[in-house]
Amino acid sequence: MITLDYVLRTYHLTKRYKDKVVVHDLNMNIKAGDIYGFLGQNGAGKTTTLRMLMGLIRPSSGEIELFGTGLNGNKNKALERIGAIIEYPGFYLNLSAVDNLGIHRRLMGMGNKECMDEVLTTVGLHDAKHQKVKNYSLGMKQRLGIARALLHRPELLILDEPTNGLDPGGIKEIRQLFLDLAKQRGITIIISSHLLNEIEQVANRVGIIHQGKLLEEIDHETLQKRTRHYLEIKVTDEQRAAYVLEQKLGVTDYFVTEPGILRLYEHLDQSTKINLTLTNNGIGVKEIALSGDNLEDYFLKITGGE
Ligand SMILES: Nc1ncnc2c1ncn2[C@@H]1O[C@H](COP(=O)(O)OP(=O)(O)OP(=O)(O)O)[C@@H](O)[C@H]1O
Ligand SMILES: [Mg+2]
């Protein structure tokens, strides 16, 4: 089945090296306009998967559908619509950013020179475009890599660990760049990372790969819900407790999980006040506890880690 809403889908995508299955039966679904976070620990199979998506290595089995067509017949046509960086992008260090892009542009047989200025502006390197790349910071090099990947106006960007080695400031800048590219240009972006926290801040969909298997593909809201903190309040009468909390403290974000238990997603740091309010209104409070996974706990839980 072909659905044009999807920029990229894989069906049972598998890569084997000798007797070792490195990527196992992956079904990925990436929609137009997604910033898709491809999350997994070191050695999970991220780079191997992304290399297959870019046509750099052949799958052992399974299929890749790009822009609604299989990657067999019109392979080059589909691949032309992708821009990519795999691991660390290489540059001629003694040349400027412009000269590096110029070489790439000629090698790839791509159109006019104006597009170089355009992409350098997009990634915020316009003022530094004549500096030699050896004097660039790591963050600037990463941005230059993204500029190069954007040169032929791809619809899909595939970036393998694009924030590796960057400091928090650099990570923030790159994150903003991704959001701008997706929002203003409608470019679909796949970003791999081993940092849940980082993916969580930029991706609207997250695919979690572990030991070669895609454990989960969820949207950002679901991920947030699953990693939300709450107060679990055990009371003698949950209906009255709810009424009292609404009336006295104005709470709205809660639900009753089972008789006698309220789960409250707000006023997290006010358990004493909640306790007092309930007790003063004749409701017995048996327990109030802060609960819920943080992102790292969640990740460890679903990957079965310790
Ligand atoms: N050419 C190859 N031959 C044999 N095994 C390989 C080959 N390439 C990768 N592997 C193995 O496949 C597994 C997944 O590697 P991959 O590089 O895809 O992981 P990754 O998720 O990108 O990890 P990292 O976060 O460290 O970049 C590893 O165990 C690796 O040793
Ligand atoms: Mg990798």
Side-chain angles (χ1 to χ4, degrees):
M1 188 183 69
I2 287 173
T3 324
L4 286 175
D5 292 346
Y6 290 98
V7 165
L8 191 151
R9 300 186 92 173
T10 69
Y11 302 90
H12 309 292
L13 188 66
T14 298
K15 183 69 185 177
R16 238 173 265 114
Y17 287 113
K18 300 212 170 114
D19 51 355
K20 192 175 164 201
V21 184
V22 170
V23 172
H24 186 81
D25 203 25
L26 235 60
N27 297 304
M28 294 171 87
N29 303 280
I30 294 146
K31 287 186 181 163
D34 272 352
I35 298 183
Y36 185 95
F38 193 38
L39 182 71
Q41 294 161 344
N42 294 140
K46 301 181 295 294
T47 300
T48 307
T49 303
L50 298 185
R51 283 180 180 278
M52 288 193 276
L53 302 185
M54 289 184 283
L56 294 175
I57 53 172
R58 282 168 64 96
S60 305
S61 60
E63 279 172 43
I64 298 169
E65 182 188 286
L66 266 173
F67 307 107
T69 55
L71 237 199
N72 302 317
N74 247 334
K75 183 170 168 174
N76 288 333
K77 260 230 144 72
L79 291 177
E80 274 170 20
R81 296 163 72 179
I82 299 181
I85 308 179
I86 283 289
E87 286 162 352
Y88 295 98
F91 296 104
Y92 297 100
L93 297 178
N94 275 317
L95 298 181
S96 69
V98 179
D99 290 342
N100 267 285
L101 288 189
I103 288 171
H104 184 72
R105 187 177 67 86
R106 286 193 293 276
L107 270 177
M108 306 283 287
M110 284 181 301
N112 56 10
K113 283 185 180 166
E114 286 70 54
C115 61
M116 298 202 298
D117 270 333
E118 191 188 305
V119 293
L120 285 166
T121 304
T122 302
V123 302
L125 285 178
H126 196 268
D127 293 342
K129 68 178 178 178
H130 294 303
Q131 267 182 48
K132 284 184 182 176
V133 173
K134 70 175 173 196
N135 297 329
Y136 268 25
S137 70
L138 192 59
M140 290 165 86
K141 280 186 201 147
Q142 287 296 51
R143 281 189 273 154
L144 183 56
I146 294 168
R148 185 168 68 187
L150 287 171
L151 209 50
H152 62 292
R153 299 177 191 278
E155 293 156 69
L156 170 65
L157 263 187
I158 300 180
L159 306 171
D160 194 13
E161 310 247 9
T163 54
N164 243 358
L166 299 188
D167 61 24
I171 292 175
K172 209 171 157 193
E173 277 177 28
I174 294 263
R175 187 188 305 142
Q176 192 55 50
L177 174 60
F178 294 150
L179 292 168
D180 291 345
L181 287 171
K183 235 197 187 118
Q184 288 160 20
R185 316 227 166 170
I187 297 177
T188 307
I189 307 177
I190 303 175
I191 309 166
S192 76
S193 177
H194 59 281
L195 301 172
L196 178 51
N197 174 46
E198 198 183 306
I199 288 293
E200 197 262 340
Q201 293 192 52
V202 72
N204 67 304
R205 270 181 83 66
V206 180
I208 300 177
I209 184 172
H210 185 62
Q211 295 175 349
K213 294 182 185 158
L214 196 68
L215 295 184
E216 209 167 55
E217 207 174 48
I218 55 173
D219 57 36
H220 183 258
E221 290 78 59
T222 312
L223 181 63
Q224 281 215 315
K225 266 188 208 138
R226 292 195 192 160
T227 56
R228 255 178 113 189
H229 284 79
Y230 53 86
L231 286 175
E232 187 145 282
I233 309 172
K234 293 189 182 156
V235 287
T236 47
D237 181 342
E238 74 283 350
Q239 299 301 333
R240 276 200 56 214
Y243 178 78
V244 167
L245 291 177
E246 279 188 25
Q247 295 301 312
K248 304 284 177 189
L249 299 179
V251 311
T252 51
D253 198 1
Y254 70 89
F255 70 95
V256 175
T257 53
E258 57 186 277
I261 300 183
L262 269 177
R263 193 174 277 193
L264 179 65
Y265 289 96
E266 51 182 309
H267 293 71
L268 297 186
D269 55 352
Q270 294 177 28
S271 46
T272 311
K273 190 169 170 188
I274 289 165
N275 193 0
L276 266 175
T277 309
L278 291 172
T279 322
N280 289 343
N281 285 278
I283 297 155
V285 179
K286 299 173 189 163
E287 194 183 322
I288 300 186
L290 186 63
S291 210
D293 291 335
N294 66 29
L295 287 168
E296 299 306 328
D297 292 340
Y298 177 73
F299 188 39
L300 287 174
K301 194 155 86 187
I302 77 155
T303 56
E306 58 277 348

